[in-house]
Amino acid sequence: MASLGLTWLDSLEIALDLIEQHPDVDPLTLHFTELRQWVLELERFNDDPQHCGERVLEAIQLAWISEID
């Protein structure tokens, strides 16, 4: 059975949720620690916080940047 909610692999969906929650933020100015915390606070997010690495956060940041460009 598939789990409900977003996982670290859902970088585009996470980015879209972050854009909605933080519309005035430039993702290039975010520290990864802050980005990680924001992802963990998303209502739809449901994954192990330990499964997050720098490459995962980079993918989320890149998706966010490409969506607002």
Side-chain angles (χ1 to χ4, degrees):
M1 185 171 104
S3 67
L4 298 174
L6 301 174
T7 69
W8 290 113
L9 299 177
D10 298 314
S11 51
L12 178 58
E13 286 296 313
I14 289 171
L16 292 172
D17 280 12
L18 289 171
I19 290 167
E20 203 172 286
Q21 295 225 340
H22 306 281
D24 300 326
V25 172
D26 177 353
L28 289 171
T29 65
L30 271 182
H31 294 282
F32 278 169
T33 51
E34 191 174 18
L35 177 58
R36 181 179 182 275
Q37 188 58 44
W38 284 3
V39 172
L40 293 174
E41 291 170 358
L42 289 174
E43 195 174 310
R44 296 195 309 149
F45 186 77
N46 184 26
D47 201 358
D48 185 342
Q50 301 304 318
H51 291 171
C52 174
E54 200 168 295
R55 296 182 84 170
V56 171
L57 293 170
E58 279 177 2
I60 294 168
Q61 185 184 43
L62 288 172
W64 187 342
I65 291 165
S66 69
E67 281 303 307
I68 60 174
D69 275 352

